[in-house]
Short mmCIF file of all heavy atoms in Angstrom, two decimals:
data_model
loop_
_atom_site.label_atom_id
_atom_site.label_comp_id
_atom_site.label_asym_id
_atom_site.label_seq_id
_atom_site.Cartn_x
_atom_site.Cartn_y
_atom_site.Cartn_z
N ALA A 1 -36.93 22.19 67.35
CA ALA A 1 -35.83 21.26 67.13
C ALA A 1 -34.55 21.70 67.82
O ALA A 1 -33.76 20.88 68.26
CB ALA A 1 -35.58 21.08 65.63
N GLY A 2 -34.32 23.01 67.95
CA GLY A 2 -33.09 23.51 68.56
C GLY A 2 -33.15 23.64 70.07
O GLY A 2 -32.18 23.98 70.70
N GLN A 3 -34.31 23.38 70.66
CA GLN A 3 -34.45 23.52 72.09
C GLN A 3 -34.40 22.17 72.77
O GLN A 3 -34.75 21.15 72.17
CB GLN A 3 -35.80 24.15 72.45
CG GLN A 3 -35.96 25.57 72.04
CD GLN A 3 -37.33 26.08 72.46
OE1 GLN A 3 -38.30 25.34 72.46
NE2 GLN A 3 -37.39 27.36 72.80
N THR A 4 -33.99 22.19 74.04
CA THR A 4 -34.10 20.97 74.83
C THR A 4 -35.42 21.03 75.57
O THR A 4 -35.84 22.11 75.99
CB THR A 4 -32.94 20.85 75.83
OG1 THR A 4 -32.92 22.02 76.63
CG2 THR A 4 -31.61 20.65 75.14
N PRO A 5 -36.09 19.89 75.72
CA PRO A 5 -37.36 19.90 76.44
C PRO A 5 -37.14 20.41 77.86
O PRO A 5 -36.15 20.09 78.49
CB PRO A 5 -37.79 18.44 76.44
CG PRO A 5 -36.96 17.77 75.40
CD PRO A 5 -35.73 18.58 75.25
N LYS A 6 -38.07 21.18 78.37
CA LYS A 6 -37.94 21.72 79.71
C LYS A 6 -38.81 20.90 80.66
O LYS A 6 -39.88 20.45 80.30
CB LYS A 6 -38.36 23.19 79.74
CG LYS A 6 -37.40 24.08 78.97
CD LYS A 6 -37.84 25.51 79.04
CE LYS A 6 -36.82 26.48 78.50
NZ LYS A 6 -36.43 26.36 77.16
N SER A 7 -38.35 20.75 81.89
CA SER A 7 -39.13 20.07 82.91
C SER A 7 -40.28 20.96 83.31
O SER A 7 -40.22 22.17 83.19
CB SER A 7 -38.25 19.78 84.13
OG SER A 7 -37.14 19.03 83.77
N LYS A 8 -41.31 20.35 83.83
CA LYS A 8 -42.46 21.11 84.30
C LYS A 8 -42.35 21.31 85.80
O LYS A 8 -41.96 20.41 86.54
CB LYS A 8 -43.77 20.36 83.98
CG LYS A 8 -44.01 20.13 82.51
CD LYS A 8 -44.49 21.38 81.85
CE LYS A 8 -44.80 21.08 80.38
NZ LYS A 8 -45.27 22.19 79.67
N GLY A 9 -42.67 22.51 86.25
CA GLY A 9 -42.66 22.82 87.67
C GLY A 9 -43.94 22.36 88.33
O GLY A 9 -44.79 21.69 87.72
N LYS A 10 -44.13 22.74 89.59
CA LYS A 10 -45.30 22.33 90.36
C LYS A 10 -46.60 22.79 89.72
O LYS A 10 -47.60 22.10 89.78
CB LYS A 10 -45.22 22.88 91.78
CG LYS A 10 -44.18 22.21 92.64
CD LYS A 10 -44.17 22.78 94.05
CE LYS A 10 -43.11 22.10 94.87
NZ LYS A 10 -43.03 22.64 96.23
N GLN A 11 -46.60 23.96 89.10
CA GLN A 11 -47.81 24.50 88.51
C GLN A 11 -47.90 24.23 87.02
O GLN A 11 -48.67 24.85 86.31
CB GLN A 11 -47.88 25.99 88.79
CG GLN A 11 -47.96 26.29 90.28
CD GLN A 11 -47.90 27.77 90.58
OE1 GLN A 11 -47.70 28.59 89.69
NE2 GLN A 11 -48.06 28.12 91.84
N GLY A 12 -47.11 23.31 86.52
CA GLY A 12 -47.17 22.94 85.12
C GLY A 12 -46.43 23.87 84.18
O GLY A 12 -46.47 23.70 82.97
N LYS A 13 -45.77 24.91 84.73
CA LYS A 13 -45.02 25.85 83.90
C LYS A 13 -43.63 25.29 83.66
O LYS A 13 -43.05 24.64 84.52
CB LYS A 13 -44.91 27.20 84.60
CG LYS A 13 -46.23 27.89 84.80
CD LYS A 13 -46.05 29.20 85.53
CE LYS A 13 -47.40 29.85 85.77
NZ LYS A 13 -47.27 31.07 86.57
N PRO A 14 -43.07 25.54 82.48
CA PRO A 14 -41.71 25.06 82.20
C PRO A 14 -40.70 25.72 83.15
O PRO A 14 -40.82 26.89 83.48
CB PRO A 14 -41.44 25.50 80.77
CG PRO A 14 -42.75 25.91 80.21
CD PRO A 14 -43.65 26.24 81.35
N ILE A 15 -39.74 24.92 83.60
CA ILE A 15 -38.66 25.43 84.44
C ILE A 15 -37.52 25.84 83.52
O ILE A 15 -37.05 25.05 82.72
CB ILE A 15 -38.17 24.33 85.42
CG1 ILE A 15 -39.30 23.90 86.35
CG2 ILE A 15 -36.97 24.83 86.22
CD1 ILE A 15 -38.98 22.70 87.21
N ALA A 16 -37.10 27.09 83.65
CA ALA A 16 -36.00 27.58 82.81
C ALA A 16 -34.69 26.98 83.28
O ALA A 16 -34.38 26.99 84.47
CB ALA A 16 -35.94 29.09 82.88
N ARG A 17 -33.95 26.41 82.37
CA ARG A 17 -32.65 25.85 82.71
C ARG A 17 -31.60 26.94 82.62
O ARG A 17 -31.68 27.82 81.77
CB ARG A 17 -32.30 24.73 81.73
CG ARG A 17 -33.21 23.54 81.90
CD ARG A 17 -32.57 22.32 81.35
NE ARG A 17 -33.47 21.20 81.56
CZ ARG A 17 -33.67 20.25 80.70
NH1 ARG A 17 -33.03 20.24 79.56
NH2 ARG A 17 -34.49 19.26 80.97
N PRO A 18 -30.61 26.86 83.50
CA PRO A 18 -29.54 27.86 83.41
C PRO A 18 -28.75 27.70 82.12
O PRO A 18 -28.69 26.62 81.54
CB PRO A 18 -28.67 27.57 84.63
CG PRO A 18 -29.03 26.19 85.08
CD PRO A 18 -30.41 25.92 84.57
N LYS A 19 -28.16 28.80 81.69
CA LYS A 19 -27.35 28.78 80.48
C LYS A 19 -26.15 27.85 80.72
O LYS A 19 -25.50 27.95 81.75
CB LYS A 19 -26.86 30.21 80.18
CG LYS A 19 -26.08 30.32 78.90
CD LYS A 19 -25.56 31.70 78.52
CE LYS A 19 -25.89 32.88 79.33
NZ LYS A 19 -25.24 34.12 78.83
N PRO A 20 -25.84 26.94 79.78
CA PRO A 20 -24.67 26.07 79.96
C PRO A 20 -23.39 26.89 80.12
O PRO A 20 -23.22 27.92 79.46
CB PRO A 20 -24.62 25.27 78.66
CG PRO A 20 -25.98 25.39 78.05
CD PRO A 20 -26.53 26.70 78.52
N CYS A 21 -22.52 26.46 81.01
CA CYS A 21 -21.32 27.26 81.32
C CYS A 21 -20.42 27.48 80.11
O CYS A 21 -19.74 28.50 80.03
CB CYS A 21 -20.54 26.65 82.47
SG CYS A 21 -19.92 25.00 82.18
N TYR A 22 -20.44 26.58 79.14
CA TYR A 22 -19.59 26.78 77.96
C TYR A 22 -20.11 27.89 77.05
O TYR A 22 -19.44 28.29 76.10
CB TYR A 22 -19.37 25.49 77.19
CG TYR A 22 -20.63 24.74 76.83
CD1 TYR A 22 -21.35 25.06 75.69
CD2 TYR A 22 -21.10 23.70 77.62
CE1 TYR A 22 -22.51 24.40 75.36
CE2 TYR A 22 -22.26 23.01 77.30
CZ TYR A 22 -22.96 23.37 76.17
OH TYR A 22 -24.11 22.71 75.86
N LEU A 23 -21.29 28.44 77.36
CA LEU A 23 -21.84 29.57 76.62
C LEU A 23 -21.74 30.88 77.42
O LEU A 23 -22.20 31.92 76.96
CB LEU A 23 -23.31 29.32 76.25
CG LEU A 23 -23.58 28.15 75.31
CD1 LEU A 23 -25.08 27.99 75.09
CD2 LEU A 23 -22.85 28.31 74.00
N TRP A 24 -21.14 30.82 78.60
CA TRP A 24 -21.04 32.00 79.45
C TRP A 24 -20.16 33.08 78.84
O TRP A 24 -19.14 32.80 78.22
CB TRP A 24 -20.45 31.65 80.80
CG TRP A 24 -21.35 30.91 81.72
CD1 TRP A 24 -22.66 30.56 81.52
CD2 TRP A 24 -21.00 30.38 83.00
NE1 TRP A 24 -23.13 29.87 82.61
CE2 TRP A 24 -22.13 29.75 83.52
CE3 TRP A 24 -19.82 30.40 83.75
CZ2 TRP A 24 -22.13 29.13 84.77
CZ3 TRP A 24 -19.81 29.79 84.98
CH2 TRP A 24 -20.96 29.17 85.49
N THR A 25 -20.55 34.31 79.07
CA THR A 25 -19.73 35.48 78.71
C THR A 25 -18.76 35.73 79.86
O THR A 25 -18.84 35.09 80.91
CB THR A 25 -20.62 36.71 78.54
OG1 THR A 25 -21.23 37.01 79.81
CG2 THR A 25 -21.70 36.50 77.49
N THR A 26 -17.89 36.71 79.67
CA THR A 26 -16.96 37.08 80.75
C THR A 26 -17.75 37.60 81.97
O THR A 26 -17.35 37.37 83.10
CB THR A 26 -15.94 38.14 80.28
OG1 THR A 26 -16.64 39.25 79.74
CG2 THR A 26 -15.00 37.56 79.24
N ALA A 27 -18.87 38.28 81.72
CA ALA A 27 -19.72 38.77 82.82
C ALA A 27 -20.32 37.60 83.60
O ALA A 27 -20.40 37.65 84.84
CB ALA A 27 -20.81 39.68 82.29
N ASP A 28 -20.74 36.55 82.90
CA ASP A 28 -21.28 35.35 83.57
C ASP A 28 -20.20 34.69 84.42
O ASP A 28 -20.48 34.21 85.53
CB ASP A 28 -21.80 34.34 82.54
CG ASP A 28 -23.00 34.85 81.76
OD1 ASP A 28 -23.84 35.56 82.35
OD2 ASP A 28 -23.09 34.52 80.56
N VAL A 29 -18.98 34.64 83.92
CA VAL A 29 -17.86 34.06 84.66
C VAL A 29 -17.61 34.88 85.93
O VAL A 29 -17.40 34.31 87.01
CB VAL A 29 -16.58 33.96 83.80
CG1 VAL A 29 -15.38 33.59 84.65
CG2 VAL A 29 -16.78 32.94 82.68
N GLN A 30 -17.67 36.20 85.82
CA GLN A 30 -17.48 37.06 86.99
C GLN A 30 -18.55 36.79 88.04
O GLN A 30 -18.26 36.71 89.24
CB GLN A 30 -17.52 38.53 86.58
CG GLN A 30 -16.31 38.99 85.81
CD GLN A 30 -15.05 38.96 86.66
OE1 GLN A 30 -15.00 39.54 87.73
NE2 GLN A 30 -14.04 38.26 86.18
N LYS A 31 -19.78 36.63 87.59
CA LYS A 31 -20.89 36.34 88.52
C LYS A 31 -20.65 35.00 89.22
O LYS A 31 -20.82 34.88 90.43
CB LYS A 31 -22.21 36.31 87.76
CG LYS A 31 -23.42 36.22 88.67
CD LYS A 31 -24.73 35.95 87.96
CE LYS A 31 -25.11 36.94 86.92
NZ LYS A 31 -26.46 36.71 86.37
N TRP A 32 -20.25 33.98 88.45
CA TRP A 32 -19.96 32.66 89.04
C TRP A 32 -18.80 32.77 90.03
O TRP A 32 -18.87 32.22 91.14
CB TRP A 32 -19.60 31.66 87.92
CG TRP A 32 -19.11 30.36 88.46
CD1 TRP A 32 -19.87 29.29 88.85
CD2 TRP A 32 -17.74 29.98 88.69
NE1 TRP A 32 -19.06 28.29 89.31
CE2 TRP A 32 -17.75 28.69 89.23
CE3 TRP A 32 -16.53 30.63 88.50
CZ2 TRP A 32 -16.59 28.02 89.58
CZ3 TRP A 32 -15.36 29.96 88.85
CH2 TRP A 32 -15.39 28.67 89.38
N PHE A 33 -17.73 33.46 89.64
CA PHE A 33 -16.55 33.59 90.49
C PHE A 33 -16.90 34.29 91.81
O PHE A 33 -16.47 33.86 92.88
CB PHE A 33 -15.45 34.34 89.74
CG PHE A 33 -14.10 34.25 90.40
CD1 PHE A 33 -13.45 33.03 90.54
CD2 PHE A 33 -13.46 35.39 90.86
CE1 PHE A 33 -12.20 32.95 91.14
CE2 PHE A 33 -12.22 35.32 91.45
CZ PHE A 33 -11.58 34.10 91.60
N LYS A 34 -17.72 35.32 91.72
CA LYS A 34 -18.13 36.05 92.93
C LYS A 34 -18.97 35.16 93.85
O LYS A 34 -18.83 35.20 95.07
CB LYS A 34 -18.91 37.30 92.55
CG LYS A 34 -19.18 38.22 93.71
CD LYS A 34 -19.74 39.54 93.25
CE LYS A 34 -19.78 40.53 94.40
NZ LYS A 34 -20.17 41.85 93.95
N ARG A 35 -19.81 34.34 93.26
CA ARG A 35 -20.70 33.46 94.04
C ARG A 35 -19.94 32.28 94.64
O ARG A 35 -20.18 31.91 95.79
CB ARG A 35 -21.84 32.96 93.16
CG ARG A 35 -22.80 32.03 93.91
CD ARG A 35 -23.96 31.60 93.07
NE ARG A 35 -24.83 32.76 92.87
CZ ARG A 35 -25.59 32.94 91.80
NH1 ARG A 35 -25.59 32.04 90.83
NH2 ARG A 35 -26.37 33.98 91.69
N HIS A 36 -19.03 31.68 93.88
CA HIS A 36 -18.39 30.44 94.32
C HIS A 36 -16.99 30.62 94.90
O HIS A 36 -16.49 29.71 95.57
CB HIS A 36 -18.35 29.44 93.17
CG HIS A 36 -19.72 29.00 92.77
ND1 HIS A 36 -20.39 27.98 93.40
CD2 HIS A 36 -20.56 29.47 91.81
CE1 HIS A 36 -21.58 27.83 92.86
NE2 HIS A 36 -21.71 28.73 91.89
N CYS A 37 -16.38 31.73 94.63
CA CYS A 37 -15.03 32.01 95.15
C CYS A 37 -15.00 33.41 95.75
O CYS A 37 -14.06 34.18 95.53
CB CYS A 37 -13.99 31.89 94.03
SG CYS A 37 -13.98 30.29 93.19
N SER A 38 -16.01 33.72 96.54
CA SER A 38 -16.19 35.09 97.02
C SER A 38 -15.01 35.62 97.82
O SER A 38 -14.68 36.80 97.72
CB SER A 38 -17.47 35.19 97.85
OG SER A 38 -17.43 34.29 98.94
N GLU A 39 -14.35 34.77 98.59
CA GLU A 39 -13.24 35.30 99.39
C GLU A 39 -12.00 35.62 98.55
O GLU A 39 -11.09 36.29 99.03
CB GLU A 39 -12.89 34.37 100.55
CG GLU A 39 -12.43 32.98 100.16
CD GLU A 39 -12.25 32.10 101.40
OE1 GLU A 39 -11.23 32.26 102.09
OE2 GLU A 39 -13.14 31.27 101.65
N TYR A 40 -11.99 35.19 97.30
CA TYR A 40 -10.86 35.47 96.40
C TYR A 40 -11.23 36.44 95.29
O TYR A 40 -10.38 36.82 94.49
CB TYR A 40 -10.32 34.17 95.80
CG TYR A 40 -10.02 33.13 96.84
CD1 TYR A 40 -10.74 31.94 96.89
CD2 TYR A 40 -9.05 33.34 97.80
CE1 TYR A 40 -10.48 31.00 97.87
CE2 TYR A 40 -8.78 32.41 98.78
CZ TYR A 40 -9.50 31.25 98.81
OH TYR A 40 -9.24 30.32 99.79
N PHE A 41 -12.51 36.81 95.24
CA PHE A 41 -13.00 37.65 94.14
C PHE A 41 -12.20 38.95 94.04
O PHE A 41 -11.76 39.32 92.95
CB PHE A 41 -14.49 37.94 94.32
CG PHE A 41 -15.09 38.73 93.21
CD1 PHE A 41 -15.43 38.10 92.00
CD2 PHE A 41 -15.33 40.10 93.33
CE1 PHE A 41 -15.98 38.82 90.96
CE2 PHE A 41 -15.88 40.82 92.30
CZ PHE A 41 -16.20 40.18 91.11
N HIS A 42 -12.03 39.64 95.15
CA HIS A 42 -11.33 40.93 95.13
C HIS A 42 -9.85 40.79 94.76
O HIS A 42 -9.25 41.74 94.27
CB HIS A 42 -11.48 41.64 96.48
CG HIS A 42 -10.78 40.96 97.60
ND1 HIS A 42 -11.26 39.81 98.20
CD2 HIS A 42 -9.61 41.25 98.22
CE1 HIS A 42 -10.42 39.44 99.15
NE2 HIS A 42 -9.41 40.29 99.18
N LEU A 43 -9.29 39.60 94.96
CA LEU A 43 -7.87 39.39 94.65
C LEU A 43 -7.63 39.03 93.18
O LEU A 43 -6.61 39.41 92.61
CB LEU A 43 -7.30 38.25 95.52
CG LEU A 43 -7.24 38.49 97.02
CD1 LEU A 43 -6.87 37.20 97.74
CD2 LEU A 43 -6.24 39.59 97.33
N TYR A 44 -8.57 38.26 92.59
CA TYR A 44 -8.28 37.67 91.29
C TYR A 44 -9.28 37.95 90.17
O TYR A 44 -9.02 37.59 89.03
CB TYR A 44 -8.15 36.14 91.44
CG TYR A 44 -7.12 35.73 92.45
CD1 TYR A 44 -7.47 35.03 93.59
CD2 TYR A 44 -5.77 36.03 92.27
CE1 TYR A 44 -6.51 34.63 94.53
CE2 TYR A 44 -4.81 35.65 93.19
CZ TYR A 44 -5.20 34.95 94.32
OH TYR A 44 -4.25 34.57 95.23
N SER A 45 -10.40 38.58 90.47
CA SER A 45 -11.42 38.78 89.42
C SER A 45 -10.86 39.58 88.24
O SER A 45 -11.20 39.31 87.09
CB SER A 45 -12.66 39.45 89.99
OG SER A 45 -12.35 40.74 90.47
N HIS A 46 -9.98 40.53 88.53
CA HIS A 46 -9.41 41.34 87.45
C HIS A 46 -8.58 40.49 86.48
O HIS A 46 -8.49 40.79 85.30
CB HIS A 46 -8.56 42.47 88.03
CG HIS A 46 -7.28 42.01 88.67
ND1 HIS A 46 -7.24 41.42 89.92
CD2 HIS A 46 -6.01 42.03 88.21
CE1 HIS A 46 -5.99 41.11 90.21
NE2 HIS A 46 -5.21 41.47 89.19
N LEU A 47 -7.99 39.39 86.98
CA LEU A 47 -7.20 38.51 86.11
C LEU A 47 -8.10 37.82 85.07
O LEU A 47 -7.70 37.62 83.92
CB LEU A 47 -6.45 37.46 86.93
CG LEU A 47 -5.40 37.99 87.91
CD1 LEU A 47 -4.83 36.85 88.76
CD2 LEU A 47 -4.29 38.73 87.17
#
């Protein structure tokens, strides 16, 4: 009841959905910032 149904992949295995961003930890935010704002990561990640 607490899970959302998962889509099936090519081999019939459930595809894991990424964690919703509103549940991210500070470490998850750092990972996102490094991936999506890489040229600014060294300037602002500490903030």
